[in-house]
Amino acid sequence: MASGLGSLLLQARDNPPDQVPSYVSWTPETIAAASAGDAFRGMLLAKRCDHCHGAEGFSPSAATPNLAGMDTLAAFKQLEDFRTHKRLSRAMNPIAESLVPRDVADVAAYYAKVPVYADPQDNRAFPQSKPEHGHEAMALHLISFGDGERGIPPCQACHGPVAFRPGAPSLATQNADYVLIQLEAFASGNRSNDINMPMRTIGALLTEDERHALAEYYGSGLGLQPGSSTGQN
């Protein structure tokens, strides 16, 4: 009896319960609160974000995400995850901690309204160079069709045929280095704020070469082309 109990305790220690990936629960109340932000107030709050994310929502650093045109709900969730330390970042956690939920909704509302077309006054890193043909074809296939044999769904199923879909982080104008960093963080489990683990699962199934190909594809702006929804170059 004691031996059996000890064995169960050891198993429990070796297999701790899964951590809650996010405190954001998409109830009607949460969606309403996240969608009710004041974009003008958000613009004032976002002034402190300009140094890293750019005055027009486009970062001069390829490793930093572009926020212009980001879907409101997607931006709200990421800021809330930073605020509650469900997504870890030495830079973002203390900044997000200083915000109350109303501030988070306002900042999300502001960035959702920032245009994504080029501004002659900004110094954005996006778009970056076009991937080599082999990587472009590899990425296009994964975006359009995925890989059923490995259980990888097409990227466009969640992120949209032109790299944008309400509720999901936009990849339409995202920097290649940032996309690669996030894919690798999901693959290693260092980032774990994806509800039901879709990105951790997919990231781990992708090869290193495939992660690079996808990052290069989106970072070059090719995700904006409708061809990604048809599988045609």
Side-chain angles (χ1 to χ4, degrees), residues 140 144 156 161-162 217 222-233:
L140 186 57
S144 303
Q156 67 176 10
V162 287
Y217 189 90
L222 288 174
L224 285 163
Q225 297 182 7
S228 63
S229 67
T230 63
Q232 300 297 316
N233 279 320

Side-chain angles (χ1 to χ4, degrees), residues 97-182:
E97 284 172 18
S98 70
L99 305 175
V100 299
R102 178 195 170 186
D103 296 336
V104 173
D106 291 345
V107 171
Y110 165 66
Y111 278 115
K113 293 183 180 297
V114 176
V116 298
Y117 51 77
D119 186 320
Q121 297 184 55
D122 69 33
N123 59 343
R124 64 183 65 183
F126 178 90
Q128 290 154 278
S129 58
K130 190 175 179 180
E132 61 185 41
H133 181 72
H135 269 188
E136 182 178 343
M138 180 187 295
L140 186 57
H141 184 86
L142 287 167
I143 291 166
S144 303
F145 307 111
D147 187 332
E149 291 186 1
R150 287 184 289 163
I152 299 175
C155 304
Q156 67 176 10
C158 291
H159 293 281
V162 287
F164 180 88
R165 174 164 287 165
S170 173
L171 299 177
T173 53
Q174 202 51 267
N175 292 325
D177 290 8
Y178 174 74
V179 173
L180 179 61
I181 289 168
Q182 299 313 307

Side-chain angles (χ1 to χ4, degrees), residues 22-130:
S22 174
Y23 292 132
V24 176
S25 177
W26 290 120
T27 63
E29 293 76 18
T30 303
I31 293 172
S35 304
D38 180 336
F40 179 76
R41 187 170 180 273
M43 178 184 68
L44 300 178
L45 289 167
K47 290 300 180 185
R48 65 191 297 190
C49 309
D50 290 358
H51 178 72
C52 293
H53 296 284
E56 302 294 332
F58 277 86
S59 175
S61 168
T64 303
N66 297 322
L67 302 181
M70 186 66 67
D71 176 73
T72 304
L73 296 183
F76 178 88
K77 180 187 180 296
Q78 296 309 313
L79 277 171
E80 273 293 290
D81 286 349
F82 281 128
R83 193 173 72 86
T84 58
H85 286 222
K86 291 285 99 180
R87 182 175 175 185
L88 300 177
S89 165
R90 283 183 293 179
M92 283 303 305
N93 291 144
I95 293 172
E97 284 172 18
S98 70
L99 305 175
V100 299
R102 178 195 170 186
D103 296 336
V104 173
D106 291 345
V107 171
Y110 165 66
Y111 278 115
K113 293 183 180 297
V114 176
V116 298
Y117 51 77
D119 186 320
Q121 297 184 55
D122 69 33
N123 59 343
R124 64 183 65 183
F126 178 90
Q128 290 154 278
S129 58
K130 190 175 179 180

